[in-house]
Amino acid sequence: MAAIPAAVDTAGPTGSDELHVAPSLPLTQKLKYGALAYGITKLVKTPLNLITAIKTDYLGSSPTNPDTIKALPSRAQLPVRVFLPKSHSGEDPSSHEKLPTLLTIHGGGFVIGSPYDNDGWNRRFVQLAEGAGTPFCVIALDYRKAPSYPFPTAIHDLEAVILDLFSGTDHGLPIDLNRVAIAGWSAGGNLALAVSQLPEIRPLIKAVVPMYPPLDFITPSEVKATKSRRYKPALGGFRGKDTDFLMGVSGMFDWSYISPGQKMGDPLLSPVYAVTVEDAAEGRVVVKGRERFPANVFVIACELDMLGGDAWRLACKLAGKRVPGVEERLGREEVGEKGKGSKGLLELEDERFHWQVEVEEDLEKEDGQTQQVKRRYRWLLVPDAIHGYDQDGAGRFGDEEMFRDGMEKREEVMEIVRGWLVDGVL
């Protein structure tokens, strides 16, 4: 088993905050990114969302439909999509036993995503959880998109909706308010970590599960795509390509979400910089900033993803492990074993791919008293998987083997996340 030893953080931004601010781009670049953002959102994504809405919300023709769609007072224009187990899908779900609840946040580069994108994942998680005897409620959240609504609008949209969900029982949903976790994919993983840092939200959320999130807007995308990203041409197909497909849109996404002059190391924008690891006496390390997040964080990344290094660094920081440099490659060179059946597709015995850490800390409260807090951190790197491997839309890449492999791994990841949440976290 390849282990990662504990050591100090040697990766991160150098210099003053003034060196790490979002630049004002040349007019030609702005026009290029603006046209690309408009074309994708207005000419492609909006019509697709309309078609999806008609099929799912009005015609009810999809087996992954939510059980209910509910507008909440603070952001009525951003309704939530609620997925319930069969035991709670009657006319009045609030009359049933309260359920542990997973809030989910879609991705899309802060620009093009939609809650519809994750209906398949959300419905399947509810089915698996009920089949395992641990029924869950899953609620898909929404937020306004860049470039019309840049950072930090989305974070505060999510804050408002979450506070509505915790405000009482008027919404009629079977939420156990003492057992709520939040998860997100890609940009949604960034937003899950960001909103959970807010003072009013952090005490409400017991766990965060960011999945292949962008967490570092200081390190250039070119460095991530060429230095830390793993490439495996032996896989062939879409996974065997020698460039990361995100590079074609990463500049547009960044320009859309981040206004000129914004400090790129802001922990709400780049959560990897919320935590630091420093040397201490006798070979120990001191981790600062853990208290910014809920006590339980499960970071999931993809081996064939330019954003994987961001997730790896945050997980190692939280756990007090050696923090990899921004040019250190993820995973391994070899292609993973095949033919193991529906299980065993993940590498759970190799610390490059998976580990768990529990730490106990003394937290000083406002009254000056100290309280011991147990924190749980977990890392999972999905082998031979691209960014977005677990989404139903991954089939659009035209690689049937990749899509089948991704769906099988999705099942295993869901079961691991469910087990982690119910085993002492919620």
Side-chain angles (χ1 to χ4, degrees):
M1 181 172 70
I4 302 175
V8 67
D9 178 9
T10 58
T14 58
S16 65
D17 285 342
E18 287 71 23
L19 294 177
H20 303 295
V21 298
S24 180
L25 299 180
L27 178 60
T28 55
Q29 195 72 13
K30 293 179 183 177
L31 292 173
K32 174 185 174 182
Y33 286 154
L36 182 58
Y38 179 86
I40 292 176
T41 57
K42 303 300 183 183
L43 303 181
V44 179
K45 194 62 178 178
T46 297
L48 285 176
N49 285 344
L50 178 60
I51 293 170
T52 302
I54 293 172
K55 290 172 60 178
T56 62
D57 300 347
Y58 298 103
L59 299 180
S61 60
S62 171
T64 63
N65 278 0
D67 292 279
T68 186
I69 300 171
K70 189 171 290 290
L72 299 173
S74 295
R75 296 290 190 277
Q77 76 275 34
L78 301 171
V80 299
R81 302 171 69 79
V82 184
F83 300 80
L84 298 169
K86 292 180 180 178
S87 60
H88 287 64
S89 58
E91 294 183 1
D92 184 14
S94 65
S95 65
H96 297 281
E97 179 184 0
K98 302 301 182 184
L99 295 172
T101 297
L102 180 64
L103 309 178
T104 64
I105 308 174
H106 61 274
F110 309 98
V111 176
I112 60 174
S114 163
Y116 300 109
D117 298 341
N118 304 121
D119 279 0
W121 195 102
N122 291 330
R123 173 57 67 196
R124 184 59 182 150
F125 185 87
V126 167
Q127 291 171 344
L128 287 175
E130 186 168 30
T134 57
F136 263 79
C137 170
V138 173
I139 302 177
L141 311 181
D142 198 1
Y143 52 93
R144 288 174 288 178
K145 307 299 187 296
S148 298
Y149 299 96
F151 171 86
T153 302
I155 299 170
H156 295 297
D157 283 343
L158 294 165
E159 177 188 29
V161 172
I162 293 170
L163 290 176
D164 277 348
L165 290 171
F166 275 84
S167 65
T169 58
D170 291 344
H171 48 61
L173 301 177
I175 304 172
D176 184 338
L177 299 181
N178 294 312
R179 293 188 293 167
V180 177
I182 190 168
W185 300 267
S186 192
N190 172 291
L191 294 171
L193 287 164
V195 73
S196 66
Q197 293 180 59
L198 300 181
E200 286 195 78
I201 300 299
R202 187 170 59 248
L204 306 178
I205 303 298
K206 296 298 185 292
V208 188
V209 186
M211 293 176 273
Y212 43 88
L215 303 178
D216 176 8
F217 286 98
I218 290 179
T219 301
S221 296
E222 292 77 10
V223 172
K224 299 179 185 182
T226 60
K227 301 297 183 181
S228 65
R229 206 268 204 193
R230 177 72 63 181
Y231 291 92
K232 297 188 181 185
L235 281 167
F238 193 83
R239 291 182 293 175
K241 291 182 178 293
D242 59 2
T243 57
D244 193 300
F245 74 94
L246 290 179
M247 280 301 294
V249 290
S250 63
M252 181 270 288
F253 285 159
D254 293 355
W255 169 81
S256 297
Y257 188 54
I258 307 169
S259 301
Q262 170 64 45
K263 292 182 179 180
M264 308 285 265
D266 185 331
L268 294 181
L269 177 64
S270 296
V272 73
Y273 299 118
V275 183
T276 60
V277 183
E278 301 174 0
D279 272 323
E282 300 177 355
R284 296 182 297 107
V285 296
V286 174
V287 180
K288 297 182 179 180
R290 280 173 173 154
E291 71 283 353
R292 290 178 179 266
F293 300 107
N296 306 284
V297 182
F298 188 166
V299 183
I300 301 174
C302 305
E303 191 180 16
L304 310 180
D305 181 4
M306 60 182 278
L307 302 180
D310 295 10
W312 190 19
R313 287 165 55 209
L314 177 64
C316 290
K317 283 185 173 188
L318 289 168
K321 289 179 173 286
R322 182 186 70 82
V323 182
V326 295
E327 297 187 1
E328 189 167 343
R329 290 200 189 277
L330 284 161
R332 65 186 172 206
E333 184 177 354
E334 302 80 19
V335 173
E337 294 183 33
K338 297 183 179 180
K340 292 183 177 180
S342 61
K343 295 295 182 183
L345 297 169
L346 305 179
E347 298 286 353
L348 302 181
E349 302 300 325
D350 184 333
E351 283 204 20
R352 293 173 296 182
F353 291 88
H354 177 253
W355 44 255
Q356 301 184 69
V357 170
E358 290 190 7
V359 298
E360 293 186 355
E361 289 185 330
D362 290 328
L363 183 65
E364 185 173 347
K365 299 189 295 184
E366 293 183 359
D367 59 5
Q369 301 294 315
T370 59
Q371 176 186 4
Q372 193 170 69
V373 177
K374 177 181 285 188
R375 301 186 183 277
R376 300 175 179 87
Y377 302 114
R378 191 163 182 175
W379 161 249
L380 179 64
L381 179 65
V382 183
D384 301 336
I386 66 165
H387 187 92
Y389 77 98
D390 56 348
Q391 300 301 304
D392 294 335
R396 298 170 186 157
F397 290 118
D399 187 331
E400 293 183 7
E401 182 180 354
M402 180 188 75
F403 183 67
R404 176 195 55 76
D405 180 74
M407 292 300 100
E408 291 177 353
K409 287 171 178 172
R410 179 173 88 165
E411 294 280 304
E412 194 170 356
V413 170
M414 283 184 182
E415 177 54 32
I416 290 172
V417 170
R418 182 206 63 81
W420 180 74
L421 289 174
V422 300
D423 187 19
V425 173
L426 294 184

